[in-house]
Amino acid sequence: MKKTISTILGLAALSLVTLTTSCTNDDNNNNESKSDFVVVRENLQGEINSGEVILESGTYKLTGKLIVKNTATLTIKPGVIIEATALGANQFEAVRYIAVAQGGKIDIKGTATNPVIMTAEVKKPAAWGGLVICGKAPINKGNTATAEVSELAYGGAETNDNSGSIKYLRIEYSGYSYNSDKEFNGVSLFGVGKGTIIDYVQVYEGSDDGFEWFGGTVDAKHLVVSNKDATSVGDDLFDWTEGWNGNGENWYGIRTNAGNRGIEADNNSNNHLASPISFPTIKNMTLIGAGTNDTSSESQAFKLRVGTKGKFDNVVLKGWKTGFDVQHDESVGYVGTDLLATNVKFEEVTTKSKGTSTAGISVGITNVFTESSTATGAGNGSGVPTWTQGWTKGL
């Protein structure tokens, strides 16, 4: 009996040592990923300089800028709401936005039934900035540049740079403007690399562009932009410049107000042949304009200019004055080869295509598209795609 008791005590002691060692190792591992950033639900702002910060559940009040710096990660769990508080007078330095710097990561883990929502107390466009991501992928503005919003560096030579993963995110009432040359979009992608995942994201009632790419190589799938506010009409649904070379798939954009284009696409306004040349490939896209009631002077489904290239397939366009508007000699020169839309269905589009040279002379570009009466666009023709159900708003 004594031997048995001794054996049992010995085994117990050994187990305790093993358990203690295991816990110590786990603690060490956890310490490696911990951040010194303190999360305050009612006052979310500041710089995350290292480690991982996790927003677990519920609502967080964004009271200033939140920057995810090099080596740090911001993880946002399903159903989390980040609500930008209202701006007071003369608070330019306290504009609310979320930015990821080069080397930082954001991991948004929304689901179709429980998306992550970034919104504002003031339920109007331009109430806050939006989401800014700065990566190390190539741009044609120089080796690197400084973002027009956030003043963070972007660009580089890392084609596969990884800024994290964004899934099932809804951004509402974004687009704060400092002035006409310095405006936030819903999502601003500065030199973001192909290692980044962007899938199932809606920009709802923003005041500037929904999504804008400033160079980079990142792909983006299942994107939605909806602008219907009658007074704050917004700009373009989708926009790219500075040499974006990525892929897009399943894009749905709708505006019923007097905002601007479905897509505004540039290469580089200062040098139309700057390399890398903007050359995305996008398939399965529906762009809906305001139709016969459109009072906008820029009612174009596509405005393709200053040297951009692009290939588009399975496209539905409805309710625009102009389908494809191609401008400047370089972009006009790519028409039919490196600037081409195949399988396009037009509904209530007044002028299917028009071209203008750099000198302002009209040129024929009917070969910028081929038509198909069976094009399905984003999945349901000019109707709302089924993949938007459950996580989007206001469609």
Side-chain angles (χ1 to χ4, degrees), residues 67-345:
I67 312 295
V68 185
K69 303 297 284 293
N70 183 33
T71 74
T73 299
L74 174 63
T75 298
I76 308 176
K77 294 294 187 68
V80 165
I81 298 172
I82 299 175
E83 185 176 63
T85 57
L87 279 168
N90 300 318
Q91 284 189 301
F92 289 110
E93 296 302 321
V95 173
R96 290 81 163 108
Y97 64 91
I98 298 172
V100 180
Q102 288 184 316
K105 290 185 179 181
I106 189 166
D107 187 6
I108 296 178
K109 297 178 174 292
T111 68
T113 56
N114 209 15
V116 170
I117 300 171
M118 297 180 180
T119 187
E121 285 183 345
V122 179
K123 307 302 182 186
K124 294 289 290 182
W128 70 296
L131 178 61
V132 178
I133 303 177
C134 296
K136 302 177 184 179
I139 61 175
N140 65 26
K141 196 176 180 179
N143 290 330
T144 61
T146 301
E148 68 179 48
V149 288
S150 79
E151 298 182 352
L152 295 170
Y154 69 100
E158 298 183 26
T159 301
N160 294 316
D161 187 40
N162 182 356
S163 296
S165 174
I166 301 172
K167 290 188 175 181
Y168 289 104
L169 167 67
R170 188 168 76 236
I171 296 176
E172 304 175 351
Y173 311 113
S174 59
Y176 179 86
S177 174
Y178 293 99
N179 54 54
S180 59
D181 297 319
K182 191 175 181 181
E183 300 172 292
F184 287 90
N185 305 293
V187 181
S188 302
L189 301 164
F190 290 92
V192 178
K194 197 171 286 290
T196 309
I197 295 172
I198 300 175
D199 201 5
Y200 295 100
V201 183
Q202 179 186 20
V203 176
Y204 172 81
E205 296 295 13
S207 68
D208 197 47
D209 303 324
F211 296 84
E212 184 164 5
W213 290 259
F214 297 84
T217 54
V218 66
D219 301 332
K221 299 188 295 183
H222 300 101
L223 304 186
V224 178
V225 183
S226 52
N227 289 339
K228 299 184 180 182
D229 189 278
T231 55
S232 299
V233 297
D235 196 2
D236 310 308
L237 301 176
F238 304 95
D239 193 334
W240 64 77
T241 185
E242 296 182 18
W244 177 46
N245 277 262
N247 299 313
E249 185 176 348
N250 293 317
W251 291 10
Y252 178 80
I254 181 170
R255 70 164 183 81
T256 60
N257 54 30
N260 288 328
R261 299 149 288 269
I263 287 178
E264 180 180 89
D266 299 347
N267 183 45
N268 184 305
S269 58
N270 295 319
N271 177 6
H272 297 185
L273 295 175
S275 179
I277 293 175
S278 296
F279 196 175
T281 299
I282 303 170
K283 63 180 181 180
N284 307 336
M285 175 166 50
T286 296
L287 300 173
I288 310 294
T292 56
N293 296 321
D294 197 341
T295 59
S296 171
S297 61
E298 297 249 26
S299 175
Q300 302 132 319
F302 285 82
K303 185 175 184 177
L304 307 163
R305 62 182 186 179
V306 299
T308 191
K309 299 179 180 180
K311 289 193 175 180
F312 319 100
D313 182 57
N314 188 25
V315 179
V316 173
L317 306 178
K318 180 179 180 179
W320 302 96
K321 292 178 182 178
T322 303
F324 295 87
D325 187 351
V326 183
Q327 302 176 8
H328 304 109
D329 294 346
E330 294 82 3
S331 290
V332 168
Y334 300 138
V335 167
T337 54
D338 287 340
L339 190 59
L340 177 64
T342 51
N343 300 306
V344 180
K345 183 178 182 180

Side-chain angles (χ1 to χ4, degrees), residues 362-381:
S362 295
V363 293
I365 56 157
T366 55
N367 57 332
V368 74
F369 66 86
T370 65
E371 292 190 64
S372 171
S373 61
T374 59
T376 56
N380 192 26

Side-chain angles (χ1 to χ4, degrees), residues 40-61:
V40 180
R41 281 187 180 272
E42 299 301 315
N43 186 24
L44 182 64
Q45 64 169 314
E47 295 184 351
I48 304 173
N49 291 303
S50 63
E52 181 183 21
V53 170
I54 302 175
L55 305 185
E56 292 283 357
S57 62
T59 299
Y60 297 79
K61 298 287 188 177

